[in-house]
Structures are given as C-alpha cells and as structure tokens.
Amino acid sequence: MTKQSAQFEPFTPKTISLLTEQGDWAGPFKLDLDQATLKRFYRDMLAARLLDEKFTILLRTGKIAFVAPHSGHEAAQIGLAHALQRGHDWFFPYYRDAGAILALGVPLKEMFGHALATLADPAKGRQMPGHFGSKSLNAFTPASAIASHVPPAAGAAISMKLQNTRQVSVCTFGDGATSEGDWYAGVNIAAVQGAPAIFVCENNKYAISLHYSHQTAAASVAEKAHAFGIPGYRVDGLDVLASYYVMKDVIERSRQGHGSALVELEVYRFGPHSSADDDTRYRPKEEVEAWRQKDPILRFQRFLERQSIWTKDWEESLRAEIKAEQEAALQEAISAGEPPVEWMFDDVFSEMPWHLEEQRRLVTDELS
Amino acid sequence: MPTMTMVQAVVQALDEEMSRDNRVVVMGEDVGKRGGVFLATEGLQQKYGPDRVIDTPLSEAAIIGAALGMASHGMRPVAEVQFADYVFPGFDQLVSQVAKLRYRSGGQFTAPMVIRMPSGGGVRGGHHHSQSPEAHFAHTAGLKVVVVSTPYDTRGLLKSAVRDDNPVVFMEPKRLYRAIKEEVPSQEYLIPIGEAAIRKEGKDISLISYGGSMVETQKAAEELEGVGVSAEVIDLRSLMPWDKETVLASVAKTGRVLVVSEAPRMASIASEVAATIAEEVLDSLEAPPLRVTGFDTPYPYAQDKVYMPTVTRILNAAKRVLDY
C-alpha cells in the first residue's frame, strides 16, 4: 500500500532506501520535491565533491596543512542539511562535514578562510582545517576530540525544550564515535530528558583503519537506540532522497515533542581518513573501487536524468560555475590576510587577565 | 546579621541568582529531590521545580557537557559534580569542550557556566573523596578557578561566578561546609573573581594560602603572634586568575613567605605562586619562598590528618624562613 506522506518506522529489518542504484524512485509515497529543490540537492552534492577536490589541490601545493575528505558522504550530508530549518535549528558537526556545512549556507569565503587560517575565518584561524562553525547559522564550532560534542548537543536540545523554542539539535559523528563514553553519556541524557536531539552517525565503516566489525559487536549503530529507549533508523546514506526524507520526518517529530532519535546514514569514505593517512594499508583498492561504483552523485544524476532534469550541458555549466565560485572565494580568502599574532591571546576569556597581558607583551616586544 | 555555614551560603547564593535570572538552572546528581548529598541545593527544586533544578543521570560527562550545550544556547547553568574526585569522567568535556569553546570559535560561541564541586580532604574519605585537583583546571587555558574558605566569600563569589561570562570551576572545601559559621549581611553583595583577601595584616612573614588550608594557616599565624612574629595572612580565593599584585606587595613588605596548600606539590598552584615571587621580587626576599603542601602520593586514608599541611609543619617552615 502506498503511504500518503513520508513517514518512517524505526528499526526496519532493511536499510531504508528510496532510490534504486539505477536511479529509479522506489519510495512508498509520492515524491513531493519540486524541480528547483532537486536541482539544488544535486548542485550542493557536486559542489561538495568539487570542494573536496579543491582542498586536496591546496594540500598538495602546500597551501593548507590538513584535509579530512568527505567524498562518499555527500548524499548523507546534503540530505540532512536540507532537512534542518536553516539558521533556526542547531547543528553540531564533526570534522568530516564540509559538505553539510556548505549546504547549510556557510559562505565559501569563510570555508577557505578557515582552511587557510586567514582573516576570512570567523574563528580567527584558531583551529586546523575541517573544523567549520558558524554562530549565525547555529553550527557549533567542532572540537577534534571524538564524540565530545555529543553531550553539548544534548544540552542545547534540553535548553530548547525548557525554553520551548521549537528548535532541534542535530549532531553528526562517525562510527568510531559510538564507542566513546561521551557518546553514551550524551545520547542518554538527551533521551531521558525527552529533548529534541537527533544523533546522526555517518557510518563509513572505518574509524581511520579500524573496520566497523572491530568497533562494535552490534549489527548496526541504529539498533543501539534500543538501549536508550529512542527510535533508531538505518538509512542508505548514498541516497540523498532517503537521507533527506528520513531526517525531515525524524526532525519534525522531535520538534513536535517526541524526544530524541538516532539515525544511521550508511556511507563509504572514498578517500583516506585524512591527508595524513594511507588507506592502502588497511583496505584493498578493489573494495574502494567497488564502492566508487555506487557513487551517491552518480545515482542521483541517473535519477535526475530519468526525470529529464539532468543533461550533460547542465552538468558542464554547473561544474564551470561552481569552480569559478570556489576560485573567486579562495582568492578573497587569501587576500583577507593573516590574523595578527597578538590575536593569539584573545578569546581565552571574555576579558584579558593580567597573565595573558604579560604574555602578549612578551610576544609584541619580541616582534618589534 | 544572620549567621550561616558555607553550605548554607551555597544554597543562599543559588537561590538569589535563580530568583534574579530565570536562565540560571542547577543540574547534577541528586541535586533535586535529595537537595544534594551535602545539601548544597536543599529546597531549590521545591521552590523552582524540576525544570530548573535538574536531577541528571549519573554521568559527569553528561552533566558538564550538557551544561555547556545549555550555556551556549543561552542559559546559565550551575552544574554540580558530587565530589571533585569524580570530575574526571567529565574532564574531557571541561578541557576539550568547555575551556576552548570561546577560543576555538573565535568568540562566536561562549560558555557562561559554573561547575561546582566539593573538594579537599579532612573527612576520612580516602583518595576518592579527598583530592584537591585545582591545578588541572588552572593549567587549562579558558577556565576560571575559585576555591572558597568562608561562608561570606562563598555567597559573594558564587554569585559572581554565575554572572561571569566565562566557565568557572568553583571548589568548596567540604571539610569547611559546616565547620565555620559567620555573620553574613542580609542584603546581597558580590565579591569579584581575581581578588585575594588579606585575612590578617603583618610585617614579618607572608603566609599565602587558600581553601581548606586557610584554617591551619590562620592557626599558625596566631601561634607566631604568640612568639612575637607578625604574620600577614592572604587568602588567594581565586586561583585563575590569581591576585599577583596583592601577593607581591605583601612579600615586598615582609621579605619572607610561605605558600600553603593541601594539594600535591608537583606542578601546583603553590609552586606557581612561589616561582612568580622568586622571578619578580627576588631583591625583596630575605629567604627563599617555601612551599608547604600535600605530598606527592595519592591521598591516604589512614594518614588523613598528617597528609594535609599541619600547623606544626607550617610553623617549622616558618622557622626555617625566619632563621634563614
């Protein structure tokens, strides 16, 4: 029986998928996204992929020190970013979320500014690349420590509930994070408080080198939701429509007061863990190649082609447009200049205590 | 003026701040129905309800981390860690998240929150109910650290901590919770974070201490007075930032100084204060600055009274400095 709207049951025996690998709609309800939205999803996915490539070029030419590639995660990240109410809901990303951050609307100039640590970075160049945050878009600046943002995401959700703001708090992480104590602590307090927190695992099957099968004996991350008394959804994260619709449904239920949820978006990381990693040491090239055949962008492209939305010409003009935007933003970020050295001492506290004033003087004297 | 104990001063300060600002919430293990295991939040849940005095699961990571999320979202949480010894499951939250949020976001996100914890020894608690871990927090850039020693200061400093725009680790020496009763004004007052208090003026030697050890330090000062030595006693109260100006002015006057604290010596607050004195006012010194501290062992159970600086140990050190 065809459902009238996009509502999903938790703990389904099979992973929730709406698009076949050939790009056919297989959803049990009528697709209700207009053409402009579908095109936007595709553009954001493509822009995310090209951003990954751009970062890699900057790395190889020595302009930036670090990249955590997100290729393979685009459908999951763009789907979830569009399911949020932008600038209203809160997003607690981790370090592999550049695609989601981009789709959320963080300006490219800020993203390059962050990667290059220039004055175009709203965070003043304080962290290594990959830690994008934005107060104006409620994207909580990440810390590198795995799963450490899960309790804060729960806390923000508790605050939303207490103040009745009708916001939700969406927190993403990789599969490795689900082994951390902070992960259990955070999910548990949100769940028991009935707070509008949605915990989203971008399960790419590897925590650096460790395969999922050595991370946990649980068959899925989603089923861990049982232990917290909240619903768990296992979703094909290579399918942007499944990622979007499930996230949308789960978010709106949380917003209406139904508490927390856990969503597992099954993806695959096409690149290494980071620019400092050699993934050939722990996974065969054939495995990576087989997953690349399931590229989330190609699957959505096939779908759009069948809808007569995607054409080769559109693809070419879109790529040219995105590349030009990225190059222009990159140049703007570079020309913004470097943060002054003495800024190192700002923002430790709201005001500067005497010992930091002394230490700042030491540096300015040294440089003068 | 009413008299009150330190634990009553905690309740009073929280009550006043909660009634002044409805963004202030109290959260922690057993803080609601039970009123806290030391009764430092007694009666608050009855008065403000379970949404503002939240009984949390048994998880310091959840308490501190969730408090941070609430703070960044516009609330003013006061999180209680039941014993300072149990802060360590939440230590990553304090160090990786709370302390660095303002800095790592370039000032976009902030963490106006208080993390209260009973600390220190003297209650026959063994090493998991007696530690003084303040150096960990002072060593972590981005956290303010306060250790109180009187009911009056507790009320004034805790209210300042709640109003501070930075995360404040607020340590309450549990052996003093009910040991001292003092008169506290009925009208409200604030004590600024970062200012030491001169408990007793003197001219021959400076005794600098804070927290629980203030008791023995003040007794030692009285004994010194009895033998004709005029000791100046300074209570640091705030450890980050600490009041260098008051300390150096005192040492410049007396030329002799002890720094007393029950925390272990290695990489301690006492060491930092002593090193600063040596670096900055060496010419005023008549003797090396000495530290009188807890030992670099885990806090022992059977030797509870000997581990912490005793009056005798303080007096012996004073003799060394005075006879130098």
Side-chain angles (χ1 to χ4, degrees):
Chain A
M1 202 174 86
T2 304
K3 287 188 203 162
Q4 289 309 301
S5 61
Q7 288 185 348
F8 300 89
E9 292 297 319
F11 306 117
T12 48
K14 280 178 66 181
T15 298
I16 299 167
S17 189
L18 298 176
L19 282 183
T20 67
E21 281 191 32
Q22 291 71 41
D24 291 314
W25 174 255
F29 56 91
K30 194 175 177 324
L31 178 69
D32 58 1
L33 294 173
D34 61 23
Q35 204 179 101
T37 305
L38 294 169
K39 286 174 96 166
R40 180 81 217 176
F41 283 12
Y42 187 77
R43 188 192 203 280
D44 285 350
M45 289 170 73
L46 192 60
R49 176 68 53 90
L50 294 174
L51 185 63
D52 224 14
E53 291 174 7
K54 189 85 175 171
F55 281 149
T56 304
I57 292 166
L58 291 173
L59 180 96
R60 292 196 178 138
T61 52
K63 298 255 182 6
I64 59 175
F66 178 83
V67 179
H70 55 261
S71 289
H73 290 235
E74 293 92 342
Q77 293 187 7
I78 275 66
L80 80 85
H82 282 277
L84 284 161
Q85 279 186 24
R86 182 171 172 262
H88 177 64
D89 294 331
W90 279 50
F91 182 39
F92 287 74
Y94 75 129
Y95 55 79
R96 200 184 304 287
D97 267 330
I101 289 287
L102 186 66
L104 200 64
V106 172
L108 268 171
K109 179 186 164 187
E110 289 184 13
M111 295 188 73
F112 283 117
H114 169 70
L116 295 150
T118 72
L119 284 169
D121 178 12
K124 305 178 187 171
R126 293 266 166 69
Q127 289 202 90
M128 65 194 294
H131 296 70
F132 305 100
S134 167
K135 174 73 175 175
S136 57
L137 288 165
N138 296 337
F140 189 83
T141 310
S144 307
I146 302 295
S148 68
H149 61 315
V150 177
I158 293 167
S159 177
M160 290 163 188
K161 183 182 166 230
L162 294 178
Q163 299 184 70
N164 195 23
T165 63
R166 295 188 64 79
Q167 293 165 300
V168 300
S169 168
V170 172
C171 176
T172 52
F173 42 82
D175 35 312
T178 65
S179 294
E180 287 281 9
D182 281 3
W183 188 80
Y184 286 89
V187 178
N188 183 58
I189 193 169
V192 76
Q193 285 285 327
I198 295 102
F199 301 101
V200 184
C201 180
E202 296 180 30
N203 182 354
N204 65 23
K205 296 155 190 71
Y206 287 90
I208 304 190
S209 67
L210 194 77
H211 188 259
Y212 179 81
S213 58
H214 295 276
Q215 192 69 249
T216 171
S220 72
V221 170
E223 71 185 38
K224 294 190 181 206
H226 283 296
F228 302 103
I230 60 174
Y233 303 84
R234 190 178 182 185
V235 184
D236 184 350
L238 300 176
D239 175 347
V240 67
L241 296 179
S243 301
Y244 167 77
Y245 274 111
V246 173
M247 284 302 300
K248 190 90 185 155
D249 181 36
V250 172
I251 284 172
E252 292 316 316
R253 270 195 249 184
S254 259
R255 198 187 304 286
Q256 283 153 24
H258 294 283
S260 312
L262 175 61
V263 179
E264 176 180 10
L265 300 174
E266 296 183 323
V267 296
Y268 191 83
R269 150 162 68 77
F270 292 161
H273 158 70
S274 76
S275 44
D277 179 33
D278 171 11
D279 63 319
T280 62
R281 293 174 75 99
Y282 54 82
R283 57 180 192 182
K285 280 187 174 141
E286 299 72 38
E287 179 188 303
V288 180
E289 201 37 54
W291 279 99
R292 279 187 181 276
Q293 299 306 311
K294 299 170 191 273
D295 190 317
I297 298 180
L298 287 178
R299 194 198 298 190
F300 195 47
Q301 186 191 96
R302 286 186 208 114
F303 167 78
L304 292 180
E305 192 173 14
R306 281 163 201 235
Q307 308 285 311
S308 307
I309 296 171
W310 184 90
T311 63
K312 224 174 165 206
D313 285 349
W314 182 56
E315 172 87 16
E316 275 170 21
S317 67
L318 201 54
R319 279 178 179 266
E321 192 180 299
I322 292 167
K323 283 184 177 176
E325 270 175 23
Q326 291 184 348
E327 187 54 34
L330 173 65
Q331 292 312 321
E332 273 189 85
I334 292 170
S335 58
E338 287 182 17
V341 172
E342 62 271 23
W343 281 21
M344 167 163 66
F345 299 98
D346 294 344
D347 302 318
V348 180
F349 296 103
S350 57
E351 69 285 334
M352 192 172 294
W354 60 264
H355 68 294
L356 291 180
E357 274 180 13
E358 285 182 1
Q359 291 167 22
R360 183 175 60 177
R361 213 172 303 129
L362 195 72
V363 169
T364 47
D365 288 353
E366 187 181 311
L367 296 175
S368 67
Chain B
M1 282 203 289
T3 62
M4 62 173 68
T5 61
M6 182 184 281
V7 79
Q8 287 168 332
V10 173
V11 178
Q12 173 94 12
L14 293 174
D15 190 1
E16 286 172 2
E17 290 307 293
M18 291 184 82
S19 113
R20 180 187 61 84
D21 182 350
N22 61 17
R23 296 171 304 167
V24 178
V25 295
V26 164
M27 57 197 291
E29 294 159 22
D30 309 300
V31 298
K33 270 190 181 172
R34 175 71 174 76
V37 295
F38 289 100
L39 300 179
T41 53
E42 194 181 21
L44 295 177
Q45 195 182 59
Q46 285 93 315
K47 187 166 174 184
Y48 296 101
D51 281 354
R52 290 192 63 201
V53 181
I54 304 168
D55 278 316
T56 67
L58 201 166
S59 167
E60 292 76 13
I63 295 165
I64 295 169
L68 173 67
M70 293 163 80
S72 68
H73 190 258
M75 302 190 88
R76 294 250 162 184
V78 181
E80 176 177 304
V81 172
Q82 204 158 72
F83 284 84
D85 311 79
Y86 300 135
V87 72
F88 299 104
F91 198 57
D92 183 40
Q93 287 299 314
L94 269 176
V95 174
S96 300
Q97 285 287 343
V98 175
K100 296 176 177 63
L101 181 61
R102 178 187 291 272
Y103 194 74
R104 74 172 187 262
S105 68
Q108 294 182 88
F109 292 94
T110 59
M113 59 190 278
V114 181
I115 308 99
R116 289 183 42 247
M117 56 187 84
S119 66
V123 296
R124 299 281 289 176
H127 47 249
H128 292 308
H129 296 83
S130 306
Q131 295 171 91
S132 298
E134 54 267 23
H136 295 295
F137 307 122
H139 192 73
T140 300
L143 301 175
K144 291 190 177 180
V145 183
V146 171
V147 186
V148 287
S149 76
T150 71
Y152 179 87
D153 281 6
T154 300
R155 182 165 160 222
L157 277 162
L158 183 51
K159 285 164 67 73
S160 291
V162 172
R163 297 180 194 195
D164 204 287
D165 287 333
N166 304 284
V168 181
V169 174
F170 195 90
M171 303 176 79
E172 300 156 7
K174 63 182 87 68
R175 69 178 157 121
L176 303 186
Y177 264 154
R178 292 176 177 78
I180 309 162
K181 255 193 168 188
E182 75 177 340
E183 288 193 339
V184 172
S186 40
Q187 67 273 34
E188 81 158 19
Y189 58 90
L190 298 170
I191 297 174
I193 292 173
E195 287 185 14
I198 300 173
R199 298 295 183 203
K200 178 183 168 306
E201 296 212 12
K203 55 180 178 42
D204 299 328
I205 184 170
S206 303
L207 307 182
I208 296 157
S209 186
Y210 62 88
S213 287
M214 280 303 299
V215 174
E216 289 74 28
T217 302
Q218 280 171 301
K219 277 186 193 156
E222 282 165 28
E223 296 218 7
L224 286 170
E225 206 70 34
V227 295
V229 176
S230 162
E232 179 145 297
V233 179
I234 293 177
D235 182 350
L236 288 175
R237 305 194 290 197
S238 294
L239 305 184
M240 175 53 69
W242 63 280
D243 187 350
K244 185 173 82 165
E245 206 180 313
T246 298
V247 168
L248 295 189
S250 174
V251 176
K253 179 173 69 174
T254 62
R256 293 183 164 85
V257 58
L258 300 183
V259 192
V260 186
S261 160
E262 67 181 80
R265 171 171 302 201
M266 178 60 68
S268 61
I269 302 297
S271 300
E272 177 62 28
V273 171
T276 305
I277 291 167
E279 279 188 353
E280 301 205 17
V281 288
L282 187 68
D283 290 346
S284 315
L285 289 174
E286 306 288 342
L290 289 192
R291 293 164 292 166
V292 185
T293 63
F295 298 116
D296 292 317
T297 65
Y299 194 101
Y301 177 70
Q303 299 87 356
D304 191 77
K305 293 281 187 284
V306 184
Y307 175 87
M308 297 186 297
T310 57
V311 175
T312 307
R313 204 173 303 144
I314 298 168
L315 289 173
N316 289 344
K319 192 171 181 331
R320 266 183 70 193
V321 167
L322 291 162
D323 294 348
Y324 186 79

